[in-house]
Amino acid sequence: MANGQWFPPEWPERIRALADGTLTPVPARRAATVMLLKDTTAGPAVHMLRRRASMAFAGGAYAYPGGGVDPRDDDHQIRWAGPTRAWWAQRLGVDETGAQAIVCAAVRETYEEAGVLLAGTTPDSVVGDTTGEDWEADRAALVARDLSFAEFLDRRGLVLRSDLLGAWTRWITPEFESRRYDTWFFVAVLPEGQRTRNASTEADRTVWIRPQEAATSYDAGELTMMPPTIATLRQLLPYASAAETLSAAPARDMTPVLARARLADGEIVLSWPGHNEFTKHIPTVPTGGGPS
């Protein structure tokens, strides 16, 4: 492949099935992912993980900490700092309970997969080191879904710091995929005193990498990424610091990006609106050679 775009071999067949009406799209599950940033002498760096090759979805691809929404976080009012649930509902395009659950998912997944927690004992504080045995026991319980995030915050008397997150973009998995997610992407700055670690069982490597370095490696075919990942990396390039990136988030367009497949000149054209670099041309009749 010319670059590192993730393109599963089963996509052409599934796209053809969707086009001829023999494939029914599965519902997209709500999800959240966080681009965790820190400043370095060479500029901002973003925390990324490499999904294990054995993973059914995007195995081997580089991504950010993230995962599905826990429905239990919809209906439990938690201690909350920052913009109100009503503000987040308008920003994310959902109702208030959904907004709480999506923000909770962003904070919880960052803690589960990177060991970084965007919460504090007061509305203007952030917890320090979270690597102790008691913290690890709670993190493991969250991963196992033995403990909801709302219960975790209550147990520790913590306030969720929604003001430390910035909603960046929203992508919906194409309709022809067998696993589909409606994913809100956030940015956040690594809190002082905390450090990342590979806490995820789904990843075999984590890195802090400058967005330009990651994008260059993708273009050279050295790093595999899904379209939303490389697209968001390129969107980080103009910013000179992590704080500057976070401050730019409120002005970002949150219109969902959803891939489209259409028939044209005897082939299926797969495209992502506003992201021409991902366009693929797929024969309507399988040729055995894969996408052109």
Side-chain angles (χ1 to χ4, degrees):
M1 61 186 172
N3 56 32
Q5 182 175 344
W6 181 68
F7 194 89
E10 68 272 14
W11 268 16
E13 181 180 351
R14 295 187 63 86
I15 292 170
R16 285 189 286 268
L18 180 67
D20 64 24
T22 59
L23 176 67
T24 301
V26 299
R29 181 187 177 192
R30 296 174 302 165
T33 191
V34 177
M35 296 179 282
L36 191 61
L37 304 166
K38 72 174 183 179
D39 291 318
T40 73
T41 55
V46 61
H47 181 71
M48 302 190 76
L49 53 84
R50 183 175 64 189
R51 295 174 60 83
R52 293 186 184 277
S54 59
M55 295 297 295
F57 183 80
Y62 279 77
Y64 313 113
V69 165
D70 184 345
R72 293 176 296 178
D73 291 332
D74 279 13
D75 56 7
H76 184 106
Q77 288 288 308
I78 65 173
R79 297 173 67 197
W80 186 277
T84 65
R85 293 169 179 81
W87 184 94
W88 277 108
Q90 183 175 19
R91 181 75 181 115
L92 301 179
V94 297
D95 60 24
E96 290 189 30
T97 55
Q100 174 179 287
I102 292 163
V103 172
C104 278
V107 177
R108 173 178 49 77
E109 290 287 340
T110 304
Y111 180 51
E112 287 183 8
E113 298 196 339
V116 170
L117 183 58
L118 305 177
T121 54
T122 64
D124 58 356
S125 68
V126 184
V127 298
D129 185 14
T130 62
T131 59
E133 290 184 4
D134 58 332
W135 286 103
E136 178 57 25
D138 279 350
R139 193 195 66 79
L142 287 169
V143 172
R145 297 297 181 262
D146 294 333
L147 182 69
S148 75
F149 192 63
E151 291 168 337
F152 163 74
L153 293 176
D154 281 348
R155 174 185 295 182
R156 288 190 168 268
L158 295 175
V159 180
L160 183 146
R161 292 288 305 276
S162 78
D163 54 319
L164 299 182
L165 285 170
W168 191 259
T169 189
R170 179 181 177 185
W171 286 63
I172 302 176
T173 308
E175 292 182 332
F176 50 82
E177 266 282 25
S178 58
R179 288 177 174 83
R180 300 189 62 224
Y181 299 93
D182 184 351
T183 305
W184 285 262
F185 285 70
F186 296 84
V187 291
V189 179
L190 178 68
E192 185 176 352
Q194 294 194 38
R195 61 181 187 270
T196 57
R197 57 194 176 92
N198 184 6
S200 173
T201 58
E202 299 179 354
D204 60 11
R205 184 186 184 216
T206 61
V207 295
W208 280 101
I209 188 169
R210 291 184 300 109
Q212 182 61 69
E213 181 183 351
T216 298
S217 295
Y218 167 90
D219 290 335
E222 297 168 356
L223 297 184
T224 301
M225 299 180 201
M226 293 176 284
T229 309
I230 181 59
T232 49
L233 275 172
R234 297 198 199 283
Q235 291 162 359
L236 297 177
L237 296 180
Y239 303 101
S241 70
E244 182 182 329
T245 309
L246 181 61
S247 67
R252 295 278 309 168
D253 182 10
M254 296 299 291
T255 302
V257 178
L258 173 64
R260 298 172 180 169
R262 60 183 175 85
L263 291 171
D265 300 324
E267 63 183 7
I268 297 170
V269 180
L270 174 61
S271 62
W272 281 259
H275 300 272
N276 293 335
E277 71 168 296
F278 306 129
T279 300
K280 294 286 185 182
H281 298 264
I282 303 162
T284 54
V285 178
T287 62
S292 62

